[in-house]
Amino acid sequence: MTDTLLQHLKTYFGYSSYRPGQLEVIQAAMQGTDSFVLMPTGGGKSLCYQLPALTLPYVTVVVSPLMSLMKDQVDALKANGVSAEFINSSLSREEILQIYARLRQQELKLLYVAPERLLQPQFLDRLSELGVSLIAIDEAHCISQWGHDFRPDYMALSILKQRFPSVPLMALTATADGATRQDIVQQLGLQQHYEYVGSFDRPNIRYMVQEKFRPLEQLVAYLKQQDGLSGIVYCNSRRKVDELAAQLQERGYSAAAYHAGMDSTARGSVQDAFQRDDIQVIVATVAFGMGINKSNIRFVVHYELSRTIESYYQETGRAGRDGVNAEALMLFDPADIGRIFHWIDQEENEQRARVGRQRFQAMAAFAEAQTCRRLVLLNYFGEARQTACGNCDICLSPPKQFDGSELAQKALSCVYRVGQRFGMNHVIEVLRGSQNQKILQYGHQQLSTWGIGQDYSHDFWLSILRQLVHFGFLQQDITQHAALKLLPAARPVLRSEQSLQLAVPRLHASSTNKEKDKRKPQQYDRLLFSRLRQLRKKIAERDNIAPFMVFSDASLIDMCQQLPGNDAQMLDVSGVGQTKLKRYGEDFIAEIEHYLVDAPESGKLA
């Protein structure tokens, strides 16, 4: 069976090896075992259920939250030669009946549905009659009360284990902290499940934060550097989306707005044009998020501060899904913090508001961080690391450092002395010797750490504590009102066995951005790449599909590096399987040959 899976992997998807975690998850599904899968966006989650679906006897049902995402994934599967369909409200009754007929004849390997459709009693009855081999629940964080994108419709999926007790469930997500992961498993009733928690690291993405001064001019200057590549600009309001899209159009950019206030026809038209590379930049609210399966997005800009690290991570993850270098830029105005806190406070459900405040505090800390951005993200998700990435604005233009060992010991000791039961503000009040009501109520004015940090301001200590969280010495427990907890890595610091360099807190905003690009550029012929992109666009228009569904940017780069001259060499290119070789191989081999004949020495390696 393993050999068959590997053969299908190459034939249908064009890959010769698995990414980390994929094979183990696939084997669990083949053995009928439930599984929880956490992989970053672009990490290969979809293949975990798509590949076993090709060999399982009955259909694999995929629960997906957005119609646009279903269509994109089904179109991509069909382009790879896989029999797949979706059922949602965009289809006519006749089209749905045709899909049911194909299910009865066991012609379909994958069926994508929304949770609302799946849970209709008649639909469940029909699936029971026809047979189901595997149920995959994508964007599984939507089921959790702790998830950043909680959806009530997803909670009803808990009935699936009762209705299909012998069918393995696979819950997949790219963004879930510890509390969310536990809640997903409990809500779905996963039994003796296999769990894979992959790395959250997306090393090909550069994370950058610029203080916002003249945001439109900053954005225009950034877009000029992108040279026509695809990107997304996220805003927090529909009004700002419309306004910014119009301003970019006035400056000659191929840009369009996308938000939930537009009718579905207009949204669909914009998304299709973006998928086909007819529009360079989408200016959008977060409504333009999970439904994007476009692999060649090269940059994501957050024009305003996100509300949660989970949503920020997921939105930036739209860039560089093909593994090629990409960038994530955030324009940050410290004044946004108070405004967003005010929005969160409008939430009527106090529990949701509390969780929202705690999650946004982490997002604000990311924007204000003076430590490696990637470390902030990875440690937030429980992937404890202490080594800076070298590929973010902080690493490229580092703040001044000092020996913060003594201050760290004071802060960590104070967290321990208050019982690891209180948040940052209370710990700071103890350090600074406050005698407020809460301090006196708990008798914390009698602690040995009370007042030992009175020489420093509240904001100074806030920066120090945030850095200790970012470095993985402390964590904030969202299930206990963001109480600070010591992590194992803190022990050597407390015992003076490890010195610690911290950033001098930047209590006053810097007005310049001085980072320099130090990444080693990918080596390939840019002129040939441009010609292959033009050919890809021409073929995509002929076949009425998105260009990246022909070949990804990563495949085109690999072609530029390998220069395949026959079918066997083309099959060695990443992402080229038998199906795509038959459909497109001859055209691309011919284009490469023509280029080498026309301009054998004109390529520009960069």
Side-chain angles (χ1 to χ4, degrees):
M1 181 58 69
T2 302
D3 291 341
T4 301
L5 288 170
L6 196 58
Q7 182 180 353
H8 286 335
L9 179 66
K10 181 58 182 174
T11 300
Y12 292 99
F13 300 98
Y15 301 115
S16 300
S17 60
Y18 297 99
R19 293 188 185 184
Q22 286 181 330
L23 180 58
E24 293 82 358
V25 174
I26 290 169
Q27 289 175 331
M30 300 297 293
Q31 295 165 4
T33 303
D34 293 341
S35 57
F36 172 83
V37 183
L38 193 155
M39 290 182 180
T41 302
K45 292 189 301 297
S46 299
L47 200 68
C48 291
Y49 55 82
Q50 290 173 348
L51 190 58
L54 296 176
T55 58
L56 292 170
Y58 302 109
V59 71
T60 291
V61 175
V62 183
V63 182
S64 185
L66 294 177
M67 290 193 295
S68 56
L69 180 58
M70 294 182 206
K71 183 178 185 304
D72 288 348
Q73 292 200 333
V74 168
D75 286 347
L77 284 167
K78 288 180 177 178
N80 286 334
V82 178
S83 57
E85 293 290 352
F86 61 83
I87 294 180
N88 59 38
S89 58
S90 70
L91 301 183
S92 66
R93 183 174 181 274
E94 290 73 19
E95 289 172 321
I96 293 175
L97 290 176
Q98 289 175 5
I99 293 174
Y100 285 150
R102 295 187 64 192
L103 281 172
R104 282 193 299 272
Q105 296 163 12
Q106 296 187 10
E107 293 180 1
L108 289 181
K109 288 300 183 182
L110 290 121
L111 178 66
Y112 287 73
V113 295
E116 303 89 338
R117 170 76 62 170
L118 174 62
L119 296 170
Q120 291 176 0
Q122 290 181 333
F123 193 83
L124 289 172
D125 291 342
R126 193 180 295 267
L127 287 178
S128 297
E129 296 171 6
L130 299 174
V132 178
S133 286
L134 172 65
I135 299 176
I137 301 170
D138 203 6
E139 310 294 350
H141 57 272
C142 295
I143 200 174
S144 172
Q145 63 174 326
W146 304 111
H148 71 285
D149 193 21
F150 171 68
R151 300 190 180 200
D153 291 326
Y154 259 69
M155 286 199 72
L157 294 174
S158 58
I159 196 177
L160 291 176
K161 204 61 193 173
Q162 304 168 28
R163 191 64 186 266
F164 301 95
S166 62
V167 176
L169 293 185
M170 182 185 295
L172 305 103
T173 180
T175 48
D177 56 18
T180 304
R181 295 199 290 268
Q182 293 177 15
D183 201 27
I184 292 170
V185 171
Q186 182 178 355
Q187 293 283 351
L188 291 175
L190 302 185
Q191 300 172 1
Q192 296 180 328
H193 68 287
Y194 174 76
E195 184 163 313
Y196 177 80
V197 177
S199 173
F200 285 89
D201 193 9
R202 295 284 305 280
N204 62 311
I205 298 180
R206 165 172 294 172
Y207 298 102
M208 301 180 294
V209 177
Q210 287 185 11
E211 188 166 358
K212 186 187 293 186
F213 292 99
R214 293 181 297 161
L216 178 59
E217 300 309 317
Q218 287 173 281
L219 177 60
V220 169
Y222 180 75
L223 292 180
K224 286 180 180 178
Q225 302 171 13
Q226 302 311 308
D227 193 27
L229 298 175
S230 292
I232 304 172
V233 180
Y234 282 113
C235 301
N236 287 340
S237 69
R238 300 174 187 179
R239 180 190 61 79
K240 176 58 70 174
V241 164
D242 288 333
E243 174 186 295
L244 185 57
Q247 290 171 328
L248 291 180
Q249 290 167 1
E250 290 173 358
R251 283 163 171 75
Y253 285 95
S254 174
Y258 185 107
H259 56 70
M262 300 163 58
D263 65 67
S264 58
T265 301
R267 289 201 308 272
S269 176
V270 168
Q271 180 159 326
D272 285 345
F274 184 58
Q275 297 279 53
R276 297 171 189 274
D277 290 344
D278 293 332
I279 293 176
Q280 178 200 359
V281 180
I282 293 289
V283 184
T285 60
V286 292
F288 191 74
M290 286 185 290
I292 302 306
N293 197 35
K294 182 177 167 71
S295 67
N296 62 332
I297 296 173
R298 299 268 65 90
F299 64 90
V300 170
V301 177
H302 281 80
Y303 201 70
E304 296 165 298
L305 195 58
S306 294
R307 291 199 185 192
T308 70
I309 282 186
E310 287 88 348
S311 59
Y312 170 80
Y313 177 81
Q314 190 172 56
E315 288 149 14
T316 57
R318 301 301 157 200
R321 292 172 65 103
D322 51 12
V324 179
N325 287 345
E327 293 183 339
L329 170 67
M330 181 194 298
L331 299 180
F332 170 56
D333 181 351
D336 287 343
I337 293 178
R339 181 167 52 85
I340 294 177
F341 269 126
H342 177 72
W343 287 350
I344 295 171
D345 288 340
Q346 308 309 306
E347 168 66 54
E348 295 181 0
N349 184 317
E350 177 52 35
Q351 183 185 34
R352 295 294 299 167
R354 176 171 59 83
V355 173
R357 284 191 290 269
Q358 292 172 6
R359 290 199 184 282
F360 179 64
Q361 283 172 349
M363 186 68 239
F366 171 86
E368 296 177 323
Q370 298 191 61
T371 51
C372 169
R373 306 283 180 196
R374 201 175 311 271
L375 285 182
V376 179
L377 293 177
L378 296 179
N379 284 302
Y380 175 83
F381 287 114
E383 189 175 336
R385 294 192 190 182
Q386 284 81 46
T387 303
C389 73
N391 190 28
C392 70
D393 60 315
I394 295 294
C395 289
L396 296 171
S397 181
K400 294 180 180 179
Q401 301 285 314
F402 75 106
D403 186 348
S405 303
E406 182 179 344
L407 289 177
Q409 288 174 341
K410 290 181 178 180
L412 295 171
S413 179
C414 191
V415 171
Y416 176 77
R417 296 295 178 189
V418 300
Q420 304 182 69
R421 294 171 48 231
F422 297 86
M424 284 190 181
N425 286 331
H426 185 81
V427 171
I428 292 171
E429 292 298 289
V430 174
L431 286 167
R432 300 190 69 238
S434 170
Q435 298 189 44
N436 65 31
Q437 182 178 352
K438 192 174 181 181
I439 296 286
L440 300 177
Q441 175 186 345
Y442 288 98
H444 287 169
Q445 77 279 10
Q446 300 175 10
L447 296 176
S448 59
T449 53
W450 182 80
I452 62 173
Q454 59 186 339
D455 293 338
Y456 299 99
S457 70
H458 181 280
D459 289 346
F460 181 94
W461 277 116
L462 187 61
S463 174
I464 299 300
L465 284 171
R466 284 173 172 169
Q467 290 184 61
L468 294 177
V469 170
H470 301 162
F471 274 124
F473 299 112
L474 291 172
Q475 69 173 1
Q476 293 175 283
D477 190 341
I478 195 170
T479 66
Q480 296 186 23
H481 304 278
L484 289 172
K485 302 290 182 72
L486 293 168
L487 289 172
R491 190 174 292 114
V493 177
L494 280 168
R495 292 178 176 176
S496 299
E497 297 170 355
Q498 175 184 338
S499 61
L500 183 62
Q501 289 291 308
L502 296 177
V504 176
R506 290 176 175 172
L507 302 183
H508 303 286
S510 170
S511 61
T512 59
N513 189 308
K514 301 178 180 178
E515 75 271 15
K516 296 181 179 179
D517 194 337
K518 297 179 182 178
R519 279 181 297 188
K520 182 178 180 180
Q522 293 168 294
Q523 300 292 321
Y524 62 93
D525 190 322
R526 305 291 180 176
L527 294 180
L528 176 57
F529 180 73
S530 177
R531 285 179 58 157
L532 294 183
R533 283 185 67 195
Q534 293 173 20
L535 173 61
R536 179 179 66 178
K537 184 75 164 64
K538 181 179 178 180
I539 291 175
E541 291 173 349
R542 179 197 70 194
D543 293 351
N544 196 31
I545 59 175
F548 70 87
M549 292 180 184
V550 178
F551 288 122
S552 70
D553 280 5
S555 294
L556 297 188
I557 289 173
D558 204 17
M559 289 180 200
C560 292
Q561 293 169 334
Q562 297 197 40
L563 302 175
N566 55 48
D567 287 358
Q569 293 173 354
M570 181 61 83
L571 281 173
D572 287 336
V573 172
S574 175
V576 180
Q578 290 290 347
T579 302
K580 289 192 174 182
L581 175 67
K582 292 176 182 177
R583 291 179 179 174
Y584 314 122
E586 184 178 347
D587 290 334
F588 280 84
I589 290 172
E591 184 65 27
I592 292 170
E593 289 179 345
H594 291 157
Y595 175 77
L596 294 177
V597 171
D598 295 343
E601 297 179 359
S602 64
K604 292 183 178 179
L605 291 176

